[in-house]
Amino acid sequence: MSQTASSPTLKVLVYSDDVNTRSQVVLALGPRPHPDLPKVEYVEVATEPMVIEHMDGGSIDLAILDGEAVPAGGMGIARQLKDEIYNCPPVLVLTGRVEDAWLATWSRAEAAVPHPIDPLRLADVVVRLLRARAGVAAG
């Protein structure tokens, strides 16, 4: 879990080449997806090199990767992260359709949520992943 001077925060990386997709994710989750969790700080990125740079930095608690992003899709990036980063944080992939969830499994992502983004479904999955990362019991 990332630490700031005043209180703990969780850092969530949101990757998509589409600014609207990134905005939808951030708006769906808000600054605190659940009262049991610390505040969330979002790191929005639009390119694969920036995803790698932030993930290599070790301060990210959850990565949300758009599987429909171009030229580098989130599923391929997820698989690369899982191959290359020891103790990689959880990864959630946004898939093009519900039927693409099996591809997220191939990518080694811990979870998948389909487009169009359902804010309630996204929040449920993100809260589950962040609770595990932050060591917060479900309540």
Side-chain angles (χ1 to χ4, degrees), residues 1-4 6-10 38-39:
M1 189 162 52
S2 304
Q3 299 290 323
T4 64
S6 58
S7 66
T9 60
L10 294 166
K39 185 177 178 186

Side-chain angles (χ1 to χ4, degrees), residues 50-69:
M50 290 306 298
V51 172
I52 303 303
E53 181 178 319
H54 283 286
M55 294 299 285
D56 281 344
S59 66
I60 301 298
D61 294 298
L62 170 67
I64 300 175
L65 308 177
D66 185 1
E68 300 300 300

Side-chain angles (χ1 to χ4, degrees), residues 11-15 43 45 48-65 77-78 80-82 84-92 110 133:
K11 271 190 156 177
V12 175
L13 181 134
V14 180
Y15 163 70
V43 178
V45 297
E48 177 185 20
M50 290 306 298
V51 172
I52 303 303
E53 181 178 319
H54 283 286
M55 294 299 285
D56 281 344
S59 66
I60 301 298
D61 294 298
L62 170 67
I64 300 175
L65 308 177
I77 295 173
Q80 178 182 347
L81 294 173
K82 294 298 182 174
E84 296 178 359
I85 297 176
Y86 175 74
N87 204 17
C88 185
V91 174
L92 182 156
E110 281 76 7
R133 182 75 173 180

Side-chain angles (χ1 to χ4, degrees), residues 3 9 20 37 40 46 57 65 69-70 72-73 84 98 104 111 113 116 122 125-126 135:
Q3 299 290 323
T9 60
N20 293 321
L37 292 173
V40 172
L65 308 177
V70 291
E84 296 178 359
V98 173
V113 172
L122 179 64
V125 173
V126 165

